Amino acid sequence: MDEVLAARELSAGYRGRIAVRGIDLSLRRGDILGLLGANGSGKSTLIRAVTGQIPLIGGSVAIDGIDLAASPERAKTGFGLAIEPHELPAPLSGRQYIELVASIRGCAPSDLRSGDLPSGDLLERLGLGRWIDRPIAEYSLGTRAKAAIVAALLGRPPLLIFDETLNGLDPVAAWEVKRVIAALCASGRHAVIVSTHVVEAVPALCNRAVLMVDGSLSRSWDAAQLAEAGRVPGAFEESVMQALRMRAAA
Amino acid sequence: MRHDRLVLILLWRELVAGLRAMRRRDLAWIALGGGGLLAYAVADIVVALRAAAPKLLHDQLLWMLGLPIIFAVLGCLAGNSMSRLCLSRAFAPFLKALPLVSAERRRMAGVGAFALGFPLMLMIAMSVGFACAVIGKPLAPVWGLGAAILFALGFGTTTLWRLQRPRFLLDEAASEAAPVGKPWLRRLDRARPSWLSSWAWRLPAGHVRPSWKLAAAGLLLALGAVLGGWASLAGRTAAPAAVAGLAGGILVFMLSLRCQPLGSPVLRTAPIGFTRVWLRLVRLPLQLSLAFFLLPAGAALAAEPSAWAVPVAGGLWLLVLNAAYAVFGAYFLNAPFVAMLSFAGALAYAGYETLEYGRTVLIGLAALVFFLWHRTRQRYRNG
């Protein structure tokens, strides 16, 4: 099955208050979706709904063909979420956290290398090697983000979700992670959602993008539009700003 | 500029934010249900006090020693928790950048702790005065005042001791990140999902930190087990050791169960169900609890081999009580002390009502446990 994420008429929120509504989103293997939007636009709520952290008020979510509400545990094998850095288990070391996730996913903690990934030890390439046996409480924001990314890749789930995780990375680690994402999606076995505020990074990394405004999808860009916008410096940012201005005027 | 009220303002804002985050329906349930239960409890206590009045009035040991010790200890416990609460706010990380010296922060915490302690003291005075009036004790207001003074002495002494040593609190927080001590838990905590108990117990990288608290708790529990065993062997009766084993076993379980990983997105977004995580979190505390139980239970069996059913029944009750507390622990996942208080309160109340209405009350307790289990499971799955 090509479709790894199917959200239909999704509405979700907190304690009965709707924060995102009427979301229709479909992701196929090979897609890298850039999820854009201002603070409070509903990006994180959408990701929480898609990953089963908050209940759906309406609609449905299927991960790799499995309905999230009907079989949450089975559906959750279909995605790897890079947890927000402050939510990582601070007392555990990075290695223990990776072992914890690997034991839940039923794979080896070293199950990171595959034909889909660039060669070399990912921990070392991300600069995580010297921190791996220290408690996560001692990590900087960026180092925590690296541990979260490595854990998300474990077991090679078909859908990878990065919720503003790339924002805290140093340039070398950010470049390595982008290379990994591109390689995984090029293999045709994975799809990726990257939620980010770094608008200018989207055309180079993603082949699809959507803009969220006030809890709904306001505009989307396909691969051709992103490639076109990526040719002229600042063109994609201008396109996003124009969409935001039009929405504000409406 | 003085900041004396800053801690109180922070606590007030937290309370208001917490109440606002709750649904109105839940708030109404808590207010109506809690209010109704409180009114029923007060009426029940009044009836019980009236019935026991003749006995209570002539119990000199209770009035001269029992009650004073109870109120002083209550004051110490309340002072300890209130000063901890206020010190944690006065030394909060987001206040670090402010130009406040340590003495000023301690004064802020002190003002907060004493402001919170004053209404507690009033409640003690009024409750004791009211109870004395109900049983017809002469000079009821004086007894109320006396109880409040004893409570205030305990509260004030503990609060001042805590405020003089804020480093205790800060060192506890800092030591969570430092992997000192031996990695004793490594072998035990490798069961799938790995490292869950290290995480729950906040042991940096699986290292068990030796501490005076751990040593004191171990010593007290060992003393209880030895005394229970000795009483059984000396009296050739199984009951004392079986009771010590049961009480100590549940205490070990309550003190060692921590369930805060159940609220983490690390597990909630992972392909693992609530029951499996819960059972894994319960596993090590249960092993510790049963290990403690074995020594007094062995003594009970040696003291009176024909009464083998007594330690066996103790063991079965220990399993039932541990399972019930594990549900409370999971429900109050970030507040183990509240879980302990709630469980002890529910058990005591069920025990008390059982005397009046028989064992059908236990069905209510079982229903409460299943309701909490259901809500906890729902929260794990849906937030």
Side-chain angles (χ1 to χ4, degrees), chain A residues 15 53 55 76 91 99-100 138, chain B residues 21 177 194-195 205 268 381-382:
Chain A
R15 303 187 186 280
Q53 296 181 65
K76 285 171 186 174
E99 285 175 5
L100 167 74
E138 296 179 11
Chain B
S194 314
W195 306 114
R268 291 186 52 231
R381 289 181 74 162
N382 296 322

Side-chain angles (χ1 to χ4, degrees), chain A residues 45-69:
Chain A
T45 305
L46 174 62
I47 287 174
R48 283 191 192 126
V50 163
T51 53
Q53 296 181 65
I54 55 172
L56 301 185
I57 295 171
S60 65
V61 173
I63 311 282
D64 210 15
I66 301 162
D67 188 84
L68 184 66

Side-chain angles (χ1 to χ4, degrees), chain A residues 225-236:
Chain A
Q225 289 168 318
L226 280 178
E228 179 65 29
R231 281 196 199 101
V232 183
F236 183 64

Side-chain angles (χ1 to χ4, degrees), chain B residues 33-94:
Chain B
L37 266 180
L38 191 66
Y40 174 70
V42 169
D44 217 23
I45 287 168
V46 167
V47 171
L49 280 175
R50 280 207 176 133
K55 193 180 165 197
L56 287 175
L57 281 170
H58 297 104
D59 193 341
Q60 292 302 314
L61 195 66
L62 175 76
W63 295 101
M64 292 300 128
L65 197 65
L67 286 179
I69 289 175
I70 286 173
F71 289 115
V73 169
L74 265 181
C76 290
L77 290 175
N80 186 44
S81 6
M82 292 300 153
S83 51
R84 269 181 75 95
L85 181 77
C86 294
L87 275 171
S88 67
R89 300 312 185 273
F91 286 86
F94 73 92

Side-chain angles (χ1 to χ4, degrees), chain B residues 16 101 109 128 130 200 208 215 219 289 301 313 318:
Chain B
V16 171
V101 293
V128 173
F130 177 69
V208 179
L219 199 67
S289 169
L301 206 58
L318 180 63

